[in-house]
Amino acid sequence: MTSRQKLFTLGTTAVAVALTLTGCGAGPTDSADGAAASPAAKGAVTEAQAAKILDTYESVNNKANAQQDSALLDTVEGGQLYEQSKADYRVFGTKSKKEQAEYRTPFHYTGRKYWIPAGKDWFAVTTRDSGSKSEALLVFGKQYGDWKMMSAVHSEVPLPAIATDDSGLATAVDPGTRVGTLAPNQISAAYEDLYATGGTKAGTGISHTTEAAKDAIETHAKRDNGKNAKYATVTYVATPTEFDTVYALRLKDGGVLAALPTAHASQYALKAAYRENYSITPTEVESAFNGRERDTVVNTYQGMALAVLPKTGKPSVTAREYRIVDSQ
């Protein structure tokens, strides 16, 4: 697994204000053919409100990271992202002094672009943070009435161009609508099959040429390599995600960019012949969840990914970030 960029989320202070206009005037202006004109669609927030939400997230997240304060972070972060951040805090003591110092270092978002879909209760931001050269797609949504960052994925490859209408609003795509060969909400199962089988089942539905796909396939292929392969085997299986919301935006070329949750577990188990006389000593990170020696170690990884779905052909997973969130 590659190391994940430090994630930052936005908070609860900015709230869209709806103004109700009353008066004696007529209803919506009629069109030339006599039909009532539909009101123009609006986003959940204005760009100024979105910027304020992101500012709040940046500030609160910096404070929470400095202290590993999950309760404070909970005020501005939700979804898969918060599950990962809580896990980061739990294993913080296993990191080197340098890694701990880097995690505590305040960050700032630069080069922000806001993508606010019409008629939806979420919005996205493309940006870079001061600790990274890669671009990230951040997604904010409502959780218990508050704006929270729900997803954040850094991409080593350039993000595709997102489409906007004449009003500057983005277009959300139904996650269940097929684009090319798959729908956005089918990508996770296909990607996790790369870990589970090397991509011979559901994984045949997505591209195997991206670095994210190659890494997953290589992880499967090398699962039983190493000095302990004689004694134990490794199996990868897809597992339920903590949060299942998929966010999808239309691209300028007619395709779709999707931010999606994904998850799997690795099972490291002694072969039957060795279980009576041997046990597995968990790693330092695994011991943060369960330090007991045992014959099987099951690690659960919750993740987020970006996928590009072309109008025709197979989708590509272009970036992904996982965290170990449990070990039993």
Side-chain angles (χ1 to χ4, degrees):
M1 300 289 175
T2 57
S3 60
R4 180 183 119 193
Q5 303 286 348
K6 186 167 61 176
L7 300 177
F8 317 105
T9 56
L10 186 26
T12 59
T13 58
V15 178
V17 179
L19 301 179
T20 301
L21 304 180
T22 60
C24 304
T29 303
D30 290 346
S31 61
D33 62 4
S38 299
K42 296 182 179 180
V45 293
T46 65
E47 188 168 308
Q49 289 169 334
K52 188 174 181 181
I53 293 171
L54 185 53
D55 287 340
T56 300
Y57 172 77
E58 181 182 288
S59 175
V60 173
N61 189 79
N62 279 330
K63 292 177 182 177
N65 285 344
Q67 305 169 24
Q68 292 82 63
D69 188 339
S70 59
L72 176 60
L73 188 62
D74 183 41
T75 65
V76 295
E77 198 166 282
Q80 289 289 97
L81 182 59
Y82 184 56
E83 294 302 310
Q84 292 187 334
S85 295
K86 286 191 298 182
D88 280 347
Y89 291 173
R90 184 160 183 174
V91 303
F92 191 76
T94 71
K95 303 302 181 182
S96 69
K97 296 298 182 183
K98 179 181 178 182
E99 289 173 322
Q100 291 181 3
E102 290 174 347
Y103 199 93
R104 288 188 171 115
T105 301
F107 71 92
H108 304 283
Y109 289 115
T110 62
R112 305 174 178 185
K113 294 181 181 179
Y114 300 93
W115 309 99
I116 303 169
K120 297 298 179 180
D121 59 355
W122 58 273
F123 67 92
V125 186
T126 51
T127 184
R128 287 180 171 83
D129 66 68
S130 51
S132 173
K133 295 181 180 179
S134 59
E135 194 172 17
L137 180 72
L138 318 177
V139 180
F140 291 88
K142 285 289 188 72
Q143 191 172 59
Y144 307 117
D146 292 327
W147 282 108
K148 296 186 178 184
M149 189 185 288
M150 308 297 285
S151 176
V153 184
H154 289 75
S155 176
E156 297 298 325
V157 299
L159 296 176
I162 298 170
T164 55
D165 61 19
D166 292 341
S167 300
L169 294 176
T171 300
V173 176
D174 183 345
T177 300
R178 177 173 292 190
V179 183
T181 58
L182 292 176
N185 64 9
Q186 295 176 309
I187 303 297
S188 177
Y191 184 63
E192 292 302 344
D193 183 61
L194 304 186
Y195 287 101
T197 74
T200 62
K201 295 182 180 179
T204 59
I206 62 173
S207 169
H208 291 189
T209 63
T210 65
E211 289 303 313
K214 291 178 181 178
D215 179 76
I217 293 170
E218 182 179 15
T219 298
H220 171 80
K222 294 183 176 180
R223 65 195 183 281
D224 288 329
N225 290 4
K227 62 181 181 179
N228 293 323
K230 173 183 176 180
Y231 305 99
T233 60
V234 177
T235 303
Y236 290 92
V237 294
T239 59
T241 57
E242 287 295 329
F243 292 83
D244 59 5
T245 304
V246 176
Y247 304 94
L249 291 169
R250 183 70 63 189
L251 297 174
K252 285 186 176 180
D253 64 6
V256 168
L257 175 65
L260 53 102
T262 193
H264 64 252
S266 66
Q267 178 178 290
Y268 184 46
L270 287 173
K271 295 178 180 179
Y274 299 101
R275 291 187 179 181
E276 184 175 346
N277 298 315
Y278 292 85
S279 62
I280 298 171
T281 301
T283 66
E284 187 177 8
V285 170
E286 291 165 347
S287 293
F289 302 94
N290 183 350
R292 179 179 55 84
E293 292 189 353
R294 48 204 188 266
D295 60 25
T296 303
V297 175
V298 179
N299 294 334
T300 302
Y301 298 88
Q302 291 289 331
M304 300 171 290
L306 296 180
V308 176
L309 294 83
K311 289 190 295 183
T312 59
K314 294 182 178 182
S316 297
V317 174
T318 57
R320 79 282 178 267
E321 298 183 4
Y322 288 96
R323 287 295 187 275
I324 181 172
V325 300
D326 192 25
S327 180
Q328 297 301 323

